Amino acid sequence: MNPLPPNADELVSAYLDGQASPDEVVIVESSPKLMDRVASMRGVADLVSEPAAHPAAQKDAHISAALDAFDALFAQDVDQVPLAGPSVLAGVPTSAGHHAAEHDTTSPALDASTISGVTSLATAREQRHPRRFNTGIIAAAAAVVLLFVAVAAFGLGGGEDSFDVASTQSEAANTVADAPEIESFTDGTSESEAMTADRPDIGALEAAPAPTSAPPQAAASQPAEEEEMAADAASDDGGGLDSETGTALATESLALTPLPLFVGDFLDQEALLRALEQVPVDELAKRVEPFEPGFFPSCQQDVPELAATETPTYVGGAFIAGTAVEVHRIGEGDDIVIVLVDPTDCSVLPATP
Amino acid sequence: MSGDDRALVAQAQGGDRAALDELLRRHYDRIYAICRRVTRNNADAADATQEALMAIVRGLAKFDNRAAFSTWSYRVATNACLDELRRRSRRPTPALVDEHNGWAEQNSHDRTPAFDEQIVVHDEVQAALNQLPEEFRAPVVLRDCGGLDYAEIAETLGIPPGTVRSRIARGRAKLAEILHSGNQPTRGERQNNQS
């Protein structure tokens, strides 16, 4: 009689869920012992799957409150009208109502310096990659240089050559203009692809490839910091996932609001912040847009500096050395401030030196 | 069911209150079950369920049917539960037994024999689930209660699918051990006994 394989439970469980490979199916079905285990586990799964009992009055109250919220949202612009927390939830004892009533949110002027453990993205970018030149000046200079090249080429050759140079000029100008931000998020990935993707790769945020179409002139005008950033990204242990996977997750996250973005797993706080630096400001804003005003997921209401903000701040979750953290964002434009929060006690992580 | 959901979602997105009502009623029991299993007590489950319904209402306008409504709503519920657990970690948790007594007294006017019977059965299963560490409990509940596949659970919980697979297996094995050591009958065994 063959002994059970060491991973018998995993084989049986996967078989039960239809997630076993064809080889594993053969192994399970050829073993009476494993099939007995399948029956046992199926019984457990059936028990867990039975609906939990609840009083009918609770169901009616919950649905009624949700419908009231629906009415309030639909009566006006869904994207602009904050939920009336306490009135919507009247009569239903929920923590949401409690929180809404507890925090009469006002929006004081944002001052990153008054918040411990937060990092200004703009400041971080400046410190890490000081801008040696104004981006606009670089772009203008590159355009002028390329204009001369184009004129010269047109004068010498014309025809197809002139088209090539013109294209190059356009690409170069775009490349220079886009240089400070890395556009790693695109649409077009199906949800099924996103759902079947393996662990999200921080490559979505950290992979900051320099545009390959950049001509030599443009490449020369870019600061060497781009290479440094790429090297930094490559050195982070948590990386390795391709940007395509991350793109899928980002896209799905937006589509399946209000689910948060899972940012990734990082060796340390600095690596996470470095990755966030490379996310375009607009993209960060999109992360929190799905959360309607008045809906404050995660620890926002428990951190005074975040609770003072009228709009949701939660961008998504991440891991630092295997420990979960919440990523919050406050501020606008160049004044974006990132706040990392420990979700277990909603304490703000101290900024690393 | 899924096709019906799709039609109801479309109607609700167009402002049809009755369609949303039907949609929420259709999925409420499962959403509550997930919350009850994950949060481990009725009060937190009620809070999380309410938050989940609110989140569904708020997110409905942007729901694009790329996933089934049930899958999406269960994931929303799971996130609401995880938020609730985070909040609960900062306040005392009522004892399970006392809580159940309180539940029974508080809702005595709603109780029927069938409801009593359900409570007993679920006490047993819930007690067994409560003995599982959270990292095992959540995947098992999402799989068996929510019907999510491994990739969806992985995305929801932020862990690799391989980890989901092993945690579900270990969780179920532990549950089987607990339930069988306590001579708790499975549903099939109960049905056989009744017949």
Side-chain angles (χ1 to χ4, degrees):
Chain A
M1 182 173 290
N2 294 330
L4 289 175
N7 61 338
D9 286 335
E10 194 169 323
L11 283 177
V12 166
S13 182
Y15 175 85
L16 190 62
D17 292 331
Q19 305 268 336
S21 68
D23 289 345
E24 291 171 334
V25 169
V26 171
I27 292 172
V28 173
E29 292 182 344
S30 62
S31 166
K33 275 191 171 181
L34 288 178
M35 288 307 288
D36 285 347
R37 222 171 173 89
V38 168
S40 174
M41 272 202 181
R42 180 172 286 126
V44 170
D46 286 346
L47 282 174
V48 174
S49 69
E50 288 181 350
H54 56 77
Q58 172 184 288
K59 180 176 182 176
D60 290 339
H62 281 171
I63 292 177
S64 176
L67 290 173
D68 288 347
F70 176 74
D71 289 341
L73 283 170
F74 215 87
Q76 303 171 59
D77 187 340
V78 173
D79 290 325
Q80 295 178 2
V81 178
L83 277 179
S87 60
V88 166
L89 302 174
V92 181
T94 71
S95 54
H98 173 71
H99 282 304
E102 196 173 62
H103 296 280
D104 179 17
T105 55
T106 55
S107 184
L110 177 65
D111 182 2
S113 64
T114 64
I115 307 175
S116 61
V118 303
T119 300
S120 161
L121 277 189
T123 304
R125 285 189 177 111
E126 285 294 330
Q127 288 174 346
R128 180 172 302 284
H129 309 293
R131 291 177 182 167
R132 296 171 193 141
F133 305 100
N134 180 287
T135 304
I137 294 174
I138 294 174
V144 169
V145 169
L146 290 171
L147 183 61
F148 278 114
V149 172
V151 169
F154 184 78
L156 291 174
E160 291 182 357
D161 287 343
S162 66
F163 175 79
D164 290 342
V165 172
S167 300
T168 302
Q169 177 187 1
S170 173
E171 289 175 4
N174 288 337
T175 302
V176 173
D178 289 341
E181 305 288 2
I182 287 79
E183 297 288 344
S184 60
F185 295 93
T186 58
D187 288 330
T189 306
S190 71
E191 178 157 324
S192 60
E193 287 172 326
M195 283 184 165
T196 54
D198 213 326
R199 180 168 186 131
D201 196 13
I202 57 169
L205 301 175
E206 295 195 321
T212 54
S213 60
Q217 296 96 321
S221 66
Q222 288 184 38
E225 65 204 29
E226 293 296 337
E227 292 177 14
E228 180 191 335
M229 290 165 69
D232 285 348
S235 67
D236 288 329
D237 192 21
L241 296 176
D242 60 71
S243 57
E244 192 176 328
T245 305
T247 298
L249 286 165
T251 304
E252 181 194 36
S253 176
L254 289 174
L256 298 179
T257 58
L259 296 181
L261 169 72
F262 176 75
V263 178
D265 200 346
F266 299 85
L267 272 185
D268 52 34
Q269 185 173 324
E270 188 183 8
L272 170 57
L273 292 173
R274 195 160 56 234
L276 289 168
E277 287 172 30
Q278 298 180 35
V279 180
V281 172
D282 289 349
E283 287 297 334
L284 273 182
K286 286 179 187 174
R287 302 302 146 203
V288 292
E289 277 177 1
F291 298 106
E292 300 292 345
F295 177 60
F296 301 103
S298 64
C299 282
Q300 180 173 353
Q301 292 297 285
D302 299 286
V303 178
E305 294 86 352
L306 301 178
T309 303
E310 284 183 329
T311 54
T313 61
Y314 186 43
V315 173
F319 285 91
I320 297 178
T323 302
V325 297
E326 291 180 3
V327 179
H328 291 262
R329 157 217 180 262
I330 49 179
E332 300 293 341
D334 288 337
D335 294 324
I336 295 289
V337 175
I338 294 296
V339 183
L340 301 180
V341 176
D342 180 347
T344 59
D345 59 4
C346 286
S347 61
V348 176
L349 297 187
T352 54
Chain B
M1 173 70 81
S2 179
D4 292 346
D5 278 355
R6 191 175 287 251
L8 287 173
V9 166
Q11 291 167 16
Q13 286 174 330
D16 188 335
R17 193 179 199 270
L20 179 64
D21 190 0
E22 170 64 19
L23 203 55
L24 295 181
R25 288 189 184 282
R26 183 177 285 183
H27 293 281
Y28 182 90
D29 291 352
R30 187 61 64 187
I31 290 172
Y32 179 77
I34 291 172
C35 292
R36 180 67 181 84
R37 297 294 193 217
V38 173
T39 63
R40 299 194 295 172
N41 72 74
N42 290 322
D44 289 339
D47 279 359
T49 302
Q50 177 70 90
E51 295 225 25
L53 295 188
M54 291 297 180
I56 288 169
V57 167
R58 283 188 283 264
L60 191 63
K62 294 169 185 167
F63 174 66
D64 60 4
N65 282 306
R66 283 193 293 171
F69 175 79
S70 57
T71 302
W72 176 73
S73 61
Y74 299 161
R75 290 168 63 181
V76 170
T78 303
N79 277 281
C81 293
L82 296 177
D83 279 347
E84 189 59 36
L85 284 178
R86 282 192 281 265
R87 281 191 285 270
R88 190 176 69 180
S89 68
R90 300 186 296 280
R91 66 174 188 264
T93 303
L96 189 66
V97 174
D98 291 341
E99 191 238 1
H100 278 297
N101 289 338
W103 171 281
E105 288 173 13
Q106 183 181 348
N107 299 286
S108 57
H109 59 285
D110 292 327
R111 293 167 59 205
T112 65
F115 185 78
D116 279 345
E117 186 182 1
Q118 286 181 25
I119 287 289
V120 171
V121 171
H122 284 284
D123 278 355
E124 296 164 356
V125 180
Q126 189 66 54
L129 275 169
N130 290 351
Q131 294 183 48
L132 294 184
E134 188 178 319
E135 60 262 36
F136 296 125
R137 189 171 64 250
V140 168
V141 169
L142 285 179
R143 174 63 209 160
D144 292 336
C145 216
L148 273 61
D149 65 29
Y150 288 4
E152 291 165 346
I153 296 170
E155 206 277 332
T156 300
L157 298 177
I159 56 179
T163 305
V164 170
R165 175 175 148 136
S166 63
R167 286 185 182 179
I168 289 175
R170 292 173 65 184
R172 282 176 175 159
K174 183 66 177 172
L175 276 178
E177 180 186 321
I178 295 168
L179 291 168
H180 291 154
S181 68
N183 295 320
Q184 310 293 348
T186 64
R187 184 167 62 180
E189 290 168 342
R190 286 205 316 275
Q191 287 170 344
N192 289 339
N193 292 339
Q194 288 169 357
S195 61

